[in-house]
Amino acid sequence: MGASPAIVMILFVAVGCFMAYPEAVTAKHTGITRHYTFNIKLKNITRLCHTKSIVTVNGKFPGPRVITREGDRLVVKVVNHVPNNISIHWHGVRQLRSGWADGPSCITQCPIQTGHSYVYNFTITGQRGTLFWHAHISWLRATVYGPLIILPRRNESYPFVKPYKEVPILFGEWFNADPEAVINQSLQTGGGPNVSDAYTFNGLPGPLYNCSAKDIYKLKVKPGKTYLLRLINAALNDELFLSIADHSLTMVEADAVYVKPFETNVLMITPGQTTNVLLKTKSKAPNATFLMLARPYATGMGTFDNTTVAGILEYETPSTSLKNRPLLKPGLPAINATNFVANFTSKFRSLATAKFPANVPQKVENKFFFTVGLGTKPCPKNQTCQGPTNSTKFAASINNISFALPITALLQSHFFSQYSKRVYTTDFPAFPQIPFNYTGTPPNNTLVNNGTKLMVIPFNTSVEVVLQDTSILGAESHPLHLHGYNFYVVGQGFGNFDPKNDPPKFNLVDPVERNTVGVPSGGWVAIRFQADNPGVWLMHCHFDVHQSWGLGMAWIVLDGEFPNQKLPPPPSNLSMC
């Protein structure tokens, strides 16, 4: 009879706890160690004349900034003081051989229970720019999120003009109701969840909402200066357009990777994406105040929060009177401006320089074709559901597999392989099981299969994934996020992917490198990456409603041949199941 997983765990910790983070001993990282404490606590917050108790970090909404440099180690102790279970995901951090710190509940760890704590310990390797952290369990991300700012190494500069000031701006959604109650009701009834009541800039809805005249985000600037705006879309379920009246923005970074600069008056950012933009103010302070507006880009058939968040760009002048200044308003694209979005996203290119190369795989060893979209599952007996029909619930899937979260965390199950077969299987389909006209007339059968199925990839092999939107319950865009990796967006298009004619058009020279990409509504996107980071990595839609309905899957990237290519054992305080 083999040793129990608990005994194996104790032995690993006893004989080699230092191995969990070998760089702590060998000091391979070149930076310093930065310590943070996240106290998860309830806080009464008032927005739109509604006061409610929300889950926060250190009582702040949005949460505190985490500031570090490339090469630094972050040690963040998370202490849970609320009734909810919690985990924190460091969105976009590569987590090279530190998958135990990635944070998605039931994937790399079991959630941190009430009264318990967990220490996230990882090093920022080869990354600089803007990312963010957020809760990764149910819908707690609605209030538990904050910026993760990675500065360049000391004595290194940006590949663009040094900004006068850097300003994080986080897009969010505000629910008057408890977001946990909203998603729980949706999962129980099988219908779409109630939408949010407002969008926010840094937690503030702005003057276009009732009872919100004082909750306005103001960006105060000086004339003749260049500002770096660190934009983060932390909204739960909505892609957003942004524009600032009478000002243009220069895009210089996407998902903490520098890009070839380009100017735009309007940008679109999906949930999970971050971007840095340069805002150059006017040489002289104008006699005007400028609105900055954000509203959704929506392509699905379901309801959405069709409102607009407003902030104010305000020039600092010797005059204190603002009453006589005209208030200028920017224009925004139509709600469903898919062509604008396609043109905008196609402008992103990697720098592809000697210092910041685009190491896109030129040859592919593992090819996958994943359909992404909504479907249905049967309503329980003797119950009326609110899905597309009274007998169905809404569901979502990749290759018709709706991802079921396990009871035991997948990385824990994979590492202690004695009992992995009871938790997941490794038969996730590489291609659709039943091909059909993905963006044409939908099939009669909309039912999906449920399962905790994973895809296994050998270490350091190249991967290409074509993500194809489906029109089964209406075509719509899906922001897909891959944990543990960046990837190159080598191609995209509308309609069905053509495996013969589309690959020759791929950009293998300077494609943009991201961690979250929007699968176009009624179209496809192709990504490539090198599987050089062992562990278990989630890939999912960053619309939380779609993730709750099962739009996700997970990869197992096997250990390499040598010790520095293997996943170290877990830390001693890992939240176990």
Side-chain angles (χ1 to χ4, degrees), residues 67-343:
I67 302 176
T68 185
R69 287 188 182 274
E70 178 185 353
D72 286 353
R73 173 191 308 289
L74 280 174
V75 179
V76 186
K77 183 178 182 180
V78 178
V79 187
N80 188 6
H81 303 282
V82 303
N84 311 75
N85 291 341
I86 192 78
S87 70
I88 301 295
H89 171 50
W90 310 93
H91 183 108
V93 174
R94 283 290 317 271
Q95 298 291 1
L96 290 166
R97 298 181 63 244
S98 56
W100 304 105
D102 191 38
S105 287
C106 301
I107 307 297
T108 60
Q109 67 173 98
C110 291
I112 307 165
Q113 299 181 18
T114 306
H116 291 252
S117 65
Y118 180 52
V119 176
Y120 293 92
N121 186 335
F122 56 93
T123 298
I124 304 293
T125 304
Q127 294 182 279
R128 80 293 300 163
T130 301
L131 297 171
F132 71 121
W133 56 264
H134 61 77
H136 208 299
I137 182 170
S138 190
W139 277 24
L140 290 185
R141 185 167 70 84
T143 59
V144 181
Y145 62 89
L148 174 55
I149 296 170
I150 307 171
L151 302 173
R153 297 180 187 273
R154 292 195 180 276
N155 302 320
E156 290 196 2
S157 59
Y158 297 126
F160 46 80
V161 62
K162 183 179 180 180
Y164 169 73
K165 190 175 182 181
E166 302 182 9
V167 184
I169 300 178
L170 293 88
F171 305 80
E173 286 183 84
W174 172 263
F175 291 77
N176 286 334
D178 177 6
E180 292 298 279
V182 170
I183 184 56
N184 288 339
Q185 180 187 33
S186 169
L187 294 176
Q188 183 177 2
T189 64
N194 293 333
V195 300
S196 56
D197 295 281
Y199 299 108
T200 57
F201 289 140
N202 289 351
L204 301 171
L208 302 184
Y209 295 101
N210 291 332
C211 197
S212 191
K214 294 182 179 180
D215 291 329
I216 306 173
Y217 173 70
K218 293 183 179 180
L219 175 60
K220 296 187 177 182
V221 298
K222 294 181 178 181
K225 303 291 185 182
T226 297
Y227 291 78
L228 179 68
L229 306 184
R230 296 178 176 272
L231 307 179
I232 299 167
N233 189 350
L236 280 190
N237 294 311
D238 289 283
E239 302 175 288
L240 294 168
F241 293 117
L242 170 74
S243 185
I244 302 176
D246 201 26
H247 288 74
S248 64
L249 302 170
T250 301
M251 318 294 292
V252 293
E253 179 209 299
D255 291 357
V257 180
Y258 298 133
V259 298
K260 290 183 172 72
F262 67 92
E263 282 193 21
T264 184
N265 294 321
V266 179
L267 63 85
M268 195 284 295
I269 184 169
T270 78
Q273 286 185 341
T274 59
T275 190
N276 284 357
V277 302
L278 296 179
L279 168 70
K280 190 170 183 178
T281 58
K282 299 179 183 301
S283 58
K284 294 182 179 180
N287 184 32
T289 301
F290 305 89
L291 279 177
M292 44 191 301
L293 300 180
R295 75 177 184 202
Y297 162 58
T299 57
M301 300 178 68
T303 57
F304 61 96
D305 181 354
N306 189 10
T307 62
T308 303
V309 55
I312 292 177
L313 175 69
E314 187 177 287
Y315 280 77
E316 297 178 7
T317 64
S319 172
T320 57
S321 174
L322 300 175
K323 292 183 179 179
N324 297 324
R325 292 187 185 181
L327 185 62
L328 303 184
K329 180 180 179 181
L332 287 170
I335 290 287
N336 61 347
T338 295
N339 286 332
F340 171 88
V341 171
N343 290 333

Side-chain angles (χ1 to χ4, degrees), residues 387-568:
T389 68
N390 288 341
S391 61
T392 61
K393 289 185 171 188
F394 277 108
S397 68
I398 297 178
N399 275 356
N400 210 46
I401 305 296
S402 186
F403 187 67
L405 285 176
I407 297 175
T408 302
L410 294 175
L411 186 58
Q412 175 187 338
S413 305
H414 166 63
F415 192 87
F416 302 111
S417 57
Q418 289 91 340
Y419 60 109
S420 61
K421 292 181 180 179
R422 290 181 284 163
V423 178
Y424 63 83
T425 60
T426 56
D427 56 346
F428 189 88
F431 297 89
Q433 294 160 302
I434 304 176
F436 61 98
N437 184 359
Y438 307 112
T439 56
T441 303
N444 293 328
N445 185 0
T446 63
L447 294 175
V448 303
N449 299 313
N450 290 331
T452 308
K453 298 176 182 290
L454 278 61
M455 176 67 72
V456 178
I457 310 174
F459 177 78
N460 207 30
T461 56
S462 55
V463 179
E464 178 183 287
V465 187
V466 175
L467 299 160
Q468 172 74 60
D469 181 39
T470 67
S471 58
I472 292 176
L473 290 181
E476 63 180 303
S477 58
H478 297 277
L480 263 289
H481 170 51
L482 176 60
H483 289 231
Y485 286 90
N486 282 350
F487 50 75
Y488 292 95
V489 182
V490 297
Q492 65 177 29
F494 291 115
N496 295 335
F497 174 72
D498 185 336
K500 180 180 179 181
N501 295 316
D502 286 328
K505 304 172 189 174
F506 284 176
N507 176 9
L508 302 181
V509 177
D510 62 349
V512 67
E513 183 181 351
R514 306 206 74 133
N515 64 62
T516 304
V517 65
V519 179
S521 176
W524 57 271
V525 64
I527 64 174
R528 288 186 181 185
F529 62 95
Q530 196 76 17
D532 58 359
N533 193 11
V536 178
W537 305 107
L538 181 65
M539 186 172 77
H540 64 93
C541 184
H542 226 272
F543 289 154
D544 275 23
V545 58
H546 291 173
Q547 184 180 343
S548 298
W549 288 342
L551 209 167
M553 57 83 66
W555 308 87
I556 296 177
V557 178
L558 300 175
D559 283 348
E561 182 179 354
F562 301 105
N564 65 351
Q565 299 171 346
K566 298 181 185 300
L567 177 70

